[in-house]
Amino acid sequence: MSSVDQLNFSVPRRTLLVTGGAGFIGANFVHHWCTNYPEDRVIVLDALTYAGNRSNLAHWEGKENFQFIQGDICDRSLVDQILQTEAIDTIAHFAAESHVDRSILGPAAFVQTNVIGTFTLLEAFLQHWRAKEQPEHFRFLHVSTDEVYGSLNTDDQPFTESTPYAPNSPYSASKAGSDHLVRAYYHTYKLPTIITNCSNNYGPYQFPEKLIPLMCINCLLGKQLPVYGDGQNIRDWLYVGDHCTALDLVIHQGLPGETYNIGGNNEVKNIDLVQMLCQLMDELAVDLPIRPSQELITFVQDRPGHDRRYAIDASKIATQLGWTPAVTVTEGLRHTVKWYLMHRSWWKSLLSKQYQEYYNKVYLS
Ligand code: NAD
Ligand code: DAU
């Protein structure tokens, strides 16, 4: 769905530590990197929480340039050992607790992984970089979110890299805390860190709790499609393949100490997005228990503190690195719906008792 044809530069060989590589964006990034840079080495460190799924990486298991390590980014001695023995020069840091609704139910894990975990990686990478005499090509890419900027009104300008931070949920507050630490390690120690703040991703391998997979799966199961509040909240949808192409450019050409916003240029109201998904389901799925799918749409109690609108101004990465998103929301949603239709055993295996308990807490209590 997206291409690296635009990535026309000479590429030094890298050894990457990809944290959270068994999650949604991390797995897509590993596929992108291993496909496009087969001479690089990719080491995945992932704790395999409920959101991590080693089978997402099955294609690369056993390949010479790929290794999977199960472990926690908060485990300093493990991180030290990996950095040294694998001679890591680049960290692509995706590992996080990532779901806003879970952060409302239980924020502690978010502070632990997102803040303490990022701090642990920074400390370990700083020591490693100094021990190697501070090579110029080392990079620490911190993958963050547009939610750190808070919520926009309908008429507000989109978020730029200089929009003040105003996080509203425990999730976004923990990501904001991690961003500040990453920024400080560049400012204070000149550790070559880069931060990216992206909008809502969608595409293959996204865990069923997030809006788009949840709606696709519920259509196929004939369950209600729960739209929070009045459904007028707006998100800026970014196809995950486009996000990976942007991160690729940032690693190869981004400047240490900089922040880059990455957005899909696809602002859509939630209710409109759910309607689009229903239409795609009606067209592409032969075995829907309820048809038309929009009969399943149910307005439910709003998420506490629900941010109204996110929108990204991605002009900095466009002008400085030449990146623009290639996939429209129409194309990306069609591709994504087809993926969930063709990978039923993938998502069925994730609908565990534990997931059902979470679901009941959010939607039935
Ligand atoms: P995800 O929840 O799908 O995956 C997170 C991964 O991190 C999982 O594989 C999990 O096992 C792993 N993990 C969690 N805690 C860990 C720990 N302590 N040690 C090691 N591994 C751990 O998340 P995602 O949607 O792929 O998001 C990846 C990153 O991108 C996150 O940092 C998130 O904040 C950011 N982000 C996501 C979106 C989005 O729309 N999904 C948008 C903006 C930013
Ligand atoms: O903006 C980037 C962020 O996007 C990332 O930092 C987060 O990791 C990622 O989870 C995502 O956060 P959101 O809260 O925007 O995504 P989510 O898929 O949970 O919800 C998208 C919108 O849909 C939001 O306005 C809430 C609404 N929603 C969500 C669910 C799960 C519903 O109306 N019903 C639902 O059942």
Side-chain angles (χ1 to χ4, degrees):
M1 289 292 293
S2 73
S3 128
V4 286
D5 292 347
Q6 65 191 110
L7 307 173
N8 186 16
F9 42 78
S10 78
V11 182
R13 299 278 65 86
R14 288 185 180 271
T15 302
L16 285 85
L17 177 63
V18 180
T19 72
F24 162 49
I25 306 175
N28 278 283
F29 178 82
V30 170
H31 291 301
H32 171 96
W33 206 276
C34 291
T35 303
N36 290 291
Y37 305 104
E39 284 164 26
D40 287 358
R41 288 178 58 242
V42 170
I43 319 295
V44 169
L45 172 63
D46 196 298
L48 296 182
T49 67
Y50 79 91
N53 188 342
R54 193 165 172 176
S55 76
N56 294 352
L57 303 169
H59 180 80
W60 305 104
E61 298 269 6
K63 302 260 192 317
E64 219 174 279
N65 61 344
F66 174 83
Q67 196 188 338
F68 181 86
I69 298 169
Q70 182 171 358
D72 193 325
I73 57 166
C74 301
D75 182 343
R76 174 68 193 270
S77 58
L78 174 64
V79 174
D80 282 342
Q81 186 210 321
I82 297 169
L83 294 180
Q84 283 164 33
T85 55
E86 302 298 340
I88 300 295
D89 51 47
T90 304
I91 294 186
H93 176 33
F94 297 88
E97 289 293 335
S98 72
H99 191 39
V100 174
D101 291 323
R102 286 189 193 254
S103 83
I104 295 166
L105 293 172
F110 287 73
V111 175
Q112 180 64 22
T113 286
N114 300 359
V115 183
I116 306 295
T118 302
F119 170 67
T120 307
L121 290 172
L122 285 166
E123 279 286 283
F125 197 59
L126 177 63
Q127 182 181 306
H128 177 61
W129 176 67
R130 283 177 166 166
K132 300 279 182 211
E133 296 177 0
Q134 311 186 356
E136 268 184 31
H137 70 289
F138 272 39
R139 289 290 179 273
F140 185 108
L141 169 68
H142 178 61
V143 179
S144 191
T145 171
D146 59 2
E147 298 200 15
V148 297
Y149 298 123
S151 182
L152 293 169
N153 292 317
T154 322
D155 298 334
D156 291 341
Q157 290 301 309
F159 303 128
T160 70
E161 288 78 0
S162 55
T163 301
Y165 274 34
N168 289 318
S169 71
Y171 162 69
S172 53
S174 67
K175 291 296 289 187
S178 65
D179 290 10
H180 291 324
L181 283 167
V182 174
R183 179 180 188 277
Y185 271 66
Y186 173 77
H187 191 77
T188 307
Y189 308 113
K190 294 290 170 282
L191 187 70
T193 64
I194 304 181
I195 300 172
T196 54
N197 295 91
C198 69
S199 59
N200 285 62
N201 281 223
Y202 68 103
Y205 300 106
Q206 189 164 30
F207 192 81
E209 67 195 354
K210 303 285 167 63
L211 180 71
I212 288 177
L214 187 132
M215 295 297 164
C216 293
I217 291 168
N218 282 13
C219 282
L220 290 168
L221 299 177
K223 289 173 70 173
Q224 69 168 35
L225 306 179
V227 176
Y228 295 159
D230 61 5
Q232 299 296 306
N233 304 67
I234 293 172
R235 297 293 183 263
D236 176 1
W237 293 96
L238 171 65
Y239 187 70
V240 66
D242 277 339
H243 186 198
C244 292
T245 310
L247 296 178
D248 181 332
L249 269 169
V250 169
I251 288 174
H252 285 117
Q253 296 189 335
L255 293 179
E258 291 292 321
T259 288
Y260 299 92
N261 279 356
I262 306 170
N265 212 7
N266 277 312
E267 281 188 63
V268 188
K269 286 180 184 158
N270 288 345
I271 187 62
D272 294 341
L273 187 94
V274 173
Q275 294 279 9
M276 288 162 81
L277 286 170
C278 286
Q279 279 169 19
L280 281 167
M281 275 292 164
D282 291 348
E283 179 195 330
L284 299 171
V286 288
D287 54 346
L288 292 175
I290 307 282
R291 189 184 279 276
S293 298
Q294 66 173 14
E295 281 181 18
L296 293 167
I297 293 175
T298 312
F299 289 92
V300 299
Q301 195 177 12
D302 209 353
R303 171 186 280 173
H306 195 177
D307 285 338
R308 196 62 171 169
R309 172 177 167 235
Y310 305 139
I312 283 273
D313 176 343
S315 52
K316 177 176 172 181
I317 191 169
T319 50
Q320 296 190 5
L321 302 184
W323 177 87
T324 48
V327 180
T328 65
V329 79
T330 315
E331 292 166 333
L333 283 184
R334 178 172 285 272
H335 183 72
T336 304
V337 167
K338 282 186 183 166
W339 191 89
Y340 280 90
L341 286 172
M342 282 162 50
H343 294 82
R344 296 181 194 226
S345 57
W346 180 86
W347 55 261
K348 280 187 180 160
S349 72
L350 302 175
L351 306 182
S352 60
K353 186 163 167 268
Q354 188 195 27
Y355 178 70
Q356 206 51 56
E357 282 165 9
Y358 156 78
Y359 193 93
N360 293 346
K361 268 192 212 157
V362 175
Y363 297 100
L364 304 180
S365 61

